[in-house]
Amino acid sequence: MGGLREALDAHVRRLAGTSLSALIAADPERAQAFALRCGPLYVNFARQRYDRAALDALFAIAERADLAGALRRLLEGDIVNPTEARPALHSALRGAVAQSAFALAARAQAVSVQLRMRELVQALAASPVTDIVSIGIGGSDLGPRLVVDALAQPQARFRVHFLSNVDGHAAQRVLAGLDPARTAAVMISKTFTTQETLLNGGIVRDWLGDAERMYAVTAYPQRAEAFGIAPERVLPMWDWVGGRYSLWSAVGFPIALALGMERFEALLEGAAALDAHALQAPLRENLPVWHALTAVWNRNGLQAATQAVLPYDERLRLLPAYLQQLVMESLGKSVRIDGASVAVDTAPVWWGGAGTDTQHSFFQALHQGTQVVPADFIGVRQAAHGFEVNHAALLANLLAQTEALANGQDSEDPHRRYPGNRPSTLLLLDALTPQALGMLIAFYEHSVYLQAVLWQINAFDQFGVELGKQLASRLLPALQGQGQADDPVTQALLEVLRTGE
């Protein structure tokens, strides 16, 4: 860690007085040299605040950390989650990129489950069901919700609705207007003990009248069966797939229902293509490696505490929420794998929203605020609608914002001065297809893993989410008048909730 910090600090000090516009002007080939493409995904790093010498230092760090070997170990199914003694073999769900015995065995299991998914999709398509309620939370909700929102088409066979929050208003809103005689439900929970999912599942089961049109995705099928769901309607999960990496598994059953099995498989193919790129491309031509090194430079070199993700495509409006979990649950760690404290800052706060709406909300702070916020801007070259002027305006705004943040604009009036020198990366998809979206999501997955390798933390556990859930389980009886809280402040708040005083 000390070596990482020292290598970054030397170049940060060297470049401290050099603006982004000066860096670009000094290197006429920068716009092309700092860009990479993999299939439909193009990424340009020219507006990041480093030069070629700093990049050399970053790639030297990548060599010392053996990022190529780390990617190989991940994809071959080595134990990369040591605190839980597990591999993280989500790549096997989408393709046979690695040829280790374990990876091939995992791939065979995944293919078998995909065949079962296809059969269930076909059976539901032959039924009177028109609507699907997907019940899950966290990784069991965010990935399928993102993909369905991005890619579902108006003429789809099923309308898929998502229910995650334990707040009863969420269930009320989702079920309003649906016909229980034409609705089926999917409960998604790895352990099938998740409080929110079980409570919402109970509401939906009662609303349906029974569990005859309920399906489950879980690593504990016996618990789903105890809930009333027949074994033939239960799809498996495995402990070598983490929740936030699970949309490629049977957790993607709602995706297959919303898009059709062929388009779900195209999503997997896009992700597998990025897996192959990550495994095979040299470090300097490797998209997730370059993105991970940029993230570490911004976090530990420039001390950026937050990171914005700004999709300029309404269909990707849920991507910031999806990446919040992927990044912050994976990298929100202060202890290294060996148990020692991390010596540098890890996960920045990820946030954002869809352009151009966000230009009229928080972009003021991005341009003139005191905190410099690195940003990933994401655009799509080809629209799927016929409003050509609108799409041109959207892309013009995308390019304008990246230019304005980088270059700024001087003014004698300090209130109208734009300081610029604010870094961003531009990602472009040729079109928003299932393949392209699969590639984009896998790109971020691999970048996050590589950042964890550089920081020597575990990207695949999430113990930090457990304590609050444990306390909530203990406080539920107290809210129902059956006991008290141990914490005096919590006890006082319980009295306010129970009595209003």
Side-chain angles (χ1 to χ4, degrees), residues 35-43 270-278 281 285-288 428-430 435-436 439-440 443:
L36 297 172
R37 176 180 280 277
C38 178
L41 175 61
Y42 166 90
V43 186
L274 199 286
D275 292 336
H277 167 84
E285 300 170 23
N286 195 304
L287 274 170
L428 291 175
L429 301 176
D430 289 337
Q435 293 93 333
M439 183 170 284
L440 179 68
F443 160 78

Side-chain angles (χ1 to χ4, degrees), residues 94-126:
R94 51 209 193 199
V97 177
Q99 296 298 306
S100 69
F102 187 36
L104 291 174
R107 178 63 186 155
Q109 292 182 66
V111 170
S112 175
V113 172
Q114 288 166 19
L115 291 174
R116 285 191 58 199
M117 287 174 61
R118 180 179 289 276
E119 292 170 356
L120 292 176
V121 170
Q122 291 172 342
L124 274 166

Side-chain angles (χ1 to χ4, degrees), residues 197-409:
T197 302
L198 292 178
L199 288 171
N200 283 331
I203 289 172
V204 173
R205 181 182 56 189
D206 292 345
W207 178 79
L208 289 171
D210 54 41
E212 287 300 310
R213 288 190 308 285
M214 295 191 75
Y215 297 75
V217 181
T218 181
Y220 293 86
Q222 68 278 11
R223 295 174 184 170
E225 293 165 25
F227 193 84
I229 301 174
E232 63 270 17
R233 297 197 302 277
V234 178
L235 292 165
M237 296 174 67
W238 305 279
D239 64 5
W240 40 266
V241 178
R244 58 192 174 279
Y245 301 90
S246 65
L247 70 89
W248 322 102
S249 72
V251 170
F253 185 40
I255 301 174
L257 289 164
L259 308 185
M261 198 66 193
E262 290 74 17
R263 299 182 79 217
F264 176 67
E265 289 170 347
L267 181 83
L268 304 184
E269 291 166 5
L274 199 286
D275 292 336
H277 167 84
L279 182 63
Q280 298 163 10
L283 292 181
R284 284 185 176 267
E285 300 170 23
N286 195 304
L287 274 170
V289 169
W290 200 314
H291 190 268
L293 292 172
T294 301
V296 169
W297 168 265
N298 286 332
R299 186 69 177 112
N300 300 136
L302 303 186
Q303 304 299 313
T306 77
Q307 164 79 35
V309 56
L310 306 164
Y312 272 65
D313 192 298
E314 178 70 10
R315 296 167 296 176
L316 292 175
R317 60 185 174 176
L318 299 183
L319 183 63
Y322 175 80
L323 291 178
Q324 276 182 340
Q325 187 199 27
L326 176 65
V327 174
M328 296 176 70
E329 196 164 89
S330 298
L331 301 180
K333 315 291 170 60
S334 57
V335 178
R336 298 187 323 199
I337 286 173
D338 63 8
S341 296
V342 177
V344 295
D345 289 324
T346 58
V349 174
W350 272 63
W351 59 286
T356 57
D357 283 344
T358 50
Q359 293 176 194
H360 298 267
S361 58
F362 57 71
F363 267 55
Q364 168 65 39
L366 296 184
H367 284 287
Q368 292 185 311
T370 58
Q371 295 291 315
V372 172
V373 180
D376 280 4
F377 285 84
I378 303 168
V380 179
R381 288 199 313 112
Q382 300 169 10
H385 57 70
F387 307 113
E388 294 182 6
V389 175
N390 287 62
H391 193 59
L394 180 70
L395 295 180
N397 276 277
L398 167 65
L399 295 176
Q401 292 297 329
T402 59
E403 180 179 329
L405 286 167
N407 298 338
Q409 181 174 282

Side-chain angles (χ1 to χ4, degrees), residues 466-480:
E466 297 301 325
L467 179 58
K469 293 196 293 187
Q470 294 167 10
L471 289 173
S473 296
R474 295 207 294 268
L475 289 171
L476 180 57
L479 271 168
Q480 297 169 325

Side-chain angles (χ1 to χ4, degrees), residues 141 336 401 418 436 454:
D141 171 77
R336 298 187 323 199
Q401 292 297 329
Y418 296 83
L454 291 166

